[in-house]
Amino acid sequence: MARLYDSRKRILVTGGSGFIGSHLIDRLLELGHEVICADNLFTGTKRNVDHLHNHPRFEFLRHDVTFPLYLEVDEIYNLACPASPVHYQYDPVQTTKTSVHGAINMLGLAKRLKCKIFQASTSEVYGDPVVHPQTEEYWGNVNPIGPRSCYDEGKRCAETLFFDYHRQHGLQIKVARIFNTYGPRMHPADGRVVSNFIMQALQGEPITLYGDGSQTRSFCFVDDMVEAFIRLMATGDEVTGPVNLGNPGEFTIRELAEKVVRQTGSKSQIVYRDIPQDDPKQRCPDITRAKALLGWQPAIPLDQGLGWTIDYFSNLIADRKSARP
Ligand code: NAD
Ligand code: UDP
């Protein structure tokens, strides 16, 4: 427990230099809290938290969560883990270690501090789902030995650890199953579909559609997601999760490609590439539980959120061009 003099909290965000983590930190600082960001900068960048450099209530710590961490904080948000398939498959052993050893280290810290701990779990715990839309009761359809397993099984094992720490040690846990989230500060080269399509469209490059584009995803704008995190963390001890967090609007990847082309006014053509192994065919959250427990549902439609994300990547490209000698 941190010993602060007022109602503000000291909050640890692991993976805070990444896409979602940096938005979460902005929001926590706006709420008046102190924030420690622990990140090894594997997929995150200092640029995402550059604007906080001189903020009196912000501290950056270069730290890998697979190693223990000794701090005094009131709450922990555990987000550290590469999220894009390209990045988490780059060093799959490290991905599993980050989820599993990272969870053990952060849970150990929370146990000593007797503080609430939030886990950024994922819709990937459902694998290639045969139940649609996915409810939290569904146990999933996950390949334990495929190229996505380091991420899927790592996150599943982390959930197991969270619930065992809860049952065995009475820890206050908050497990969120996050569905595809997008917005400004996604890494432009991380290979995820929204950033790929927008970067390709803005640069007049071919839009790479994997498979026939009939697979579906549900896309949640990052501000909506962060709002859900804050609400989930604020719930009482009786709420442990897992809670699905995502936007139930479901689109085929072909529809997404067409939207991006339309909204950017790009002349890019769609080209077809092989579908990656074990790529889930359909994904859509049932958010009944989140609505009931958190009074939350996403407010930002895909077209609007895509517009803001396109603006972000346009500016990024313009900045890069002007920085060239
Ligand atoms: P991201 O890659 O932008 O951020 C992850 C952050 O974790 C990065 O800053 C990275 O440097 C850091 N990190 C990775 N390994 C680490 C380690 N061993 N020690 C310390 N830091 C480490 O991804 P994101 O989209 O912001 O995802 C954040 C979290 O949300 C992840 O846990 C991810 O699994 C989860 N999630 C995200 C989505 C999504 O659509 N964005 C969906 C489901 C779950
Ligand atoms: N995808 C695609 N083209 C790309 C990148 C991704 O068609 O350039 C597809 C991918 O095969 C998947 C979907 O878009 O069906 C979402 O992929 P992403 O990597 O964003 O996340 P996932 O939900 O698969 O973890």
Side-chain angles (χ1 to χ4, degrees), residues 235-256:
T235 53
D237 290 4
E238 70 290 354
V239 177
T240 57
V243 183
N244 286 341
L245 300 179
N247 191 322
E250 185 180 2
F251 297 88
T252 66
I253 298 303
R254 171 187 281 283
E255 283 171 327
L256 178 74

Side-chain angles (χ1 to χ4, degrees), residues 271-287:
V271 296
Y272 293 88
R273 297 281 179 265
D274 289 344
I275 189 99
Q277 188 189 327
D278 297 339
D279 197 287
K281 284 180 265 318
Q282 51 180 5
R283 187 185 286 156
C284 178
D286 179 321
I287 59 163

Side-chain angles (χ1 to χ4, degrees), residues 19 42-43 81-93 95-96 122-124 127 146-152 155 179-181 186-187 189-196 210 215 217 219 253 274-280 283:
F19 157 52
F42 174 52
T43 53
C81 187
S84 142
V86 174
H87 284 157
Y88 69 64
Q89 290 172 26
Y90 171 77
D91 184 350
V93 173
T95 299
T96 303
T122 170
S123 51
E124 286 284 323
R148 296 176 86 100
S149 312
C150 58
Y151 184 75
D152 300 11
K155 290 282 189 180
F179 285 63
N180 296 60
T181 303
M186 292 184 88
H187 197 294
D190 80 0
R192 283 187 270 190
V193 69
V194 174
S195 45
N196 260 17
Y210 302 159
Q215 69 273 34
R217 293 294 186 274
F219 298 99
I253 298 303
D274 289 344
I275 189 99
Q277 188 189 327
D278 297 339
D279 197 287
R283 187 185 286 156

Side-chain angles (χ1 to χ4, degrees), residues 14-292:
T14 75
S17 305
F19 157 52
I20 303 181
S22 64
H23 288 277
L24 173 65
I25 290 175
D26 283 346
R27 184 70 198 285
L28 293 170
L29 290 170
E30 272 165 32
L31 292 170
H33 301 300
E34 284 185 17
V35 177
I36 301 173
C37 164
D39 199 301
N40 70 351
L41 298 179
F42 174 52
T43 53
T45 64
K46 280 192 178 170
R47 196 180 53 241
N48 285 344
V49 288
D50 250 1
H51 58 291
L52 304 174
H53 190 55
N54 288 317
H55 196 295
R57 286 181 279 109
F58 175 74
E59 192 180 335
F60 176 80
L61 209 62
R62 191 188 281 249
H63 176 77
D64 184 325
V65 294
T66 61
F67 295 92
L69 181 61
Y70 295 91
L71 289 172
E72 305 304 315
V73 293
D74 302 296
E75 284 177 357
I76 301 171
Y77 287 86
N78 187 37
L79 273 64
C81 187
S84 142
V86 174
H87 284 157
Y88 69 64
Q89 290 172 26
Y90 171 77
D91 184 350
V93 173
Q94 175 66 13
T95 299
T96 303
K97 280 188 188 168
T98 293
S99 279
V100 178
H101 293 188
I104 291 170
N105 288 327
M106 291 308 116
L107 286 161
L109 180 63
K111 182 175 164 228
R112 176 174 68 80
L113 298 171
K114 299 187 173 52
C115 75
K116 281 186 190 177
I117 179 166
F118 171 105
Q119 168 67 357
S121 190
T122 170
S123 51
E124 286 284 323
V125 300
Y126 302 122
D128 189 4
V130 295
V131 168
H132 194 76
Q134 292 82 57
T135 60
E136 291 87 350
E137 285 76 28
Y138 179 47
W139 289 353
N141 177 35
V142 176
N143 176 358
I145 56 166
R148 296 176 86 100
S149 312
C150 58
Y151 184 75
D152 300 11
E153 297 289 16
K155 290 282 189 180
R156 284 169 68 97
C157 183
E159 284 200 10
T160 306
L161 285 160
F162 268 69
F163 278 85
D164 281 334
Y165 267 76
H166 170 68
R167 283 184 288 258
Q168 204 174 328
H169 301 297
L171 222 63
Q172 300 173 65
I173 57 162
K174 309 286 170 191
V175 176
R177 290 186 178 155
I178 304 165
F179 285 63
N180 296 60
T181 303
Y182 71 99
R185 302 189 194 148
M186 292 184 88
H187 197 294
D190 80 0
R192 283 187 270 190
V193 69
V194 174
S195 45
N196 260 17
F197 284 0
I198 294 177
M199 287 299 286
Q200 290 163 344
L202 290 174
Q203 297 178 114
E205 291 166 3
I207 309 277
T208 51
L209 196 58
Y210 302 159
D212 62 5
S214 63
Q215 69 273 34
T216 67
R217 293 294 186 274
S218 304
F219 298 99
C220 186
F221 190 68
V222 65
D223 291 2
D224 280 332
M225 186 55 66
V226 165
E227 176 64 29
F229 283 18
I230 302 278
R231 289 188 189 208
L232 179 55
M233 191 60 127
T235 53
D237 290 4
E238 70 290 354
V239 177
T240 57
V243 183
N244 286 341
L245 300 179
N247 191 322
E250 185 180 2
F251 297 88
T252 66
I253 298 303
R254 171 187 281 283
E255 283 171 327
L256 178 74
E258 288 164 355
K259 271 182 187 297
V260 169
V261 170
R262 202 166 45 246
Q263 285 190 233
T264 52
S266 173
K267 301 220 168 354
S268 294
Q269 302 295 313
I270 292 176
V271 296
Y272 293 88
R273 297 281 179 265
D274 289 344
I275 189 99
Q277 188 189 327
D278 297 339
D279 197 287
K281 284 180 265 318
Q282 51 180 5
R283 187 185 286 156
C284 178
D286 179 321
I287 59 163
T288 308
R289 188 178 287 185
K291 282 183 182 165

